[in-house]
Amino acid sequence: MILKKLEHFLLNEVEENELDKLLEEIMILYGDELTRLAYTYVKDIETAKDIVQTVFIKCYTHLKTFKGEAKLRTWLYRITINKCKDYVKSAYFRRFTLFKKDDYKSETVTSPEEEVIDQIMQAELKNIILNLSPKYAEVILLYYYEELDINKIADILQISRNTAKTRLRRGRKNLIPFLNKEEFR
């Protein structure tokens, strides 16, 4: 549905309120997903939300120039990753970043005990992944957490398919020693 509206927007002159409605739908559809992606880079939920708002502002101002060569989701992922990388490279981030606990909660566990155990395990696993080299961590997070295939990951990261496969394989290999510890069995 959103693709038809986007196509209509790109091909026709539309009123500003139609653009506002389209952006609102894009935000609803991709907001949480992009926030999770940004969080994997900046490790702070409020900063991740700020970055995603910046992404949507850029989307709003540049939507007319979107050519449709890539999917909208891929385009938004690319903008988000670039904004995150810019933030991580900033002097502010290097000087003032404090690592906080994971703000996401699992909703699939039924008992409180299982929920606490699952949250602890997920937080530990994410910390292990985030401590990998960023080039490995981003591929693992996109593959396992965002459930993207290798081709989409290669498009988003602007790398070759083989490079994406190699980074995923090496990232998995780097995780093996941590996952063989007693608490992950």
Side-chain angles (χ1 to χ4, degrees):
M1 183 70 168
I2 197 161
L3 295 176
K4 287 187 180 196
K5 288 181 181 180
L6 180 60
E7 184 178 314
H8 172 75
F9 170 76
L10 294 173
L11 295 175
N12 303 303
E13 291 294 320
V14 293
E15 295 181 23
E16 191 170 322
N17 67 345
E18 287 185 58
L19 175 59
D20 293 346
K21 289 178 184 175
L22 177 62
L23 182 67
E24 186 177 339
E25 287 183 38
I26 291 170
M27 291 169 66
I28 291 168
L29 188 60
Y30 297 110
D32 290 340
E33 196 174 324
L34 295 176
T35 303
R36 281 192 309 272
L37 176 64
Y39 180 80
T40 62
Y41 280 88
V42 299
K43 301 173 181 106
D44 178 68
I45 193 67
E46 295 306 318
T47 304
K49 289 177 181 178
D50 290 344
I51 288 172
V52 171
Q53 284 209 340
T54 305
V55 168
F56 286 130
I57 290 170
K58 186 166 185 167
C59 175
Y60 184 83
T61 57
H62 291 87
L63 198 55
K64 252 316 195 192
T65 62
F66 178 69
K67 297 176 184 161
E69 293 171 356
K71 290 186 177 181
L72 179 64
R73 181 181 187 203
T74 304
W75 184 59
L76 292 171
Y77 265 56
R78 185 75 250 153
I79 295 170
T80 304
I81 288 170
N82 287 338
K83 293 288 182 193
C84 290
K85 286 181 176 181
D86 290 345
Y87 178 80
V88 171
K89 289 179 193 174
S90 72
Y92 173 82
F93 179 81
R94 288 189 300 241
R95 274 188 260 144
F96 298 107
T97 299
L98 297 173
F99 295 100
K100 295 181 180 180
K101 290 184 180 179
D102 188 6
D103 291 338
Y104 291 106
K105 296 178 182 160
S106 173
E107 296 176 5
T108 58
V109 180
T110 54
S111 76
E113 294 85 10
E114 290 175 335
E115 186 173 327
V116 169
I117 290 169
D118 186 53
Q119 286 176 354
I120 291 169
M121 296 296 285
Q122 288 296 323
E124 286 180 27
L125 182 58
K126 275 190 181 176
N127 281 335
I128 290 169
I129 292 170
L130 293 173
N131 285 322
L132 292 175
S133 168
K135 65 183 180 182
Y136 300 137
E138 66 188 359
V139 173
I140 288 174
L141 291 168
L142 290 171
Y143 188 80
Y144 289 105
Y145 286 88
E146 299 301 327
E147 299 177 355
L148 299 176
D149 64 31
I150 292 295
N151 292 327
K152 290 212 184 291
I153 294 169
D155 286 344
I156 289 168
L157 298 177
Q158 296 178 335
I159 57 177
S160 73
R161 183 177 188 278
N162 287 336
T163 301
K165 285 172 43 177
T166 299
R167 288 183 184 179
L168 181 61
R169 188 181 73 249
R170 288 180 182 169
R172 287 177 184 150
K173 186 177 178 181
N174 290 337
L175 286 176
I176 290 173
F178 298 106
L179 297 178
N180 284 335
K181 291 183 179 179
E182 187 65 34
E183 61 265 17
F184 285 105
R185 289 185 181 177

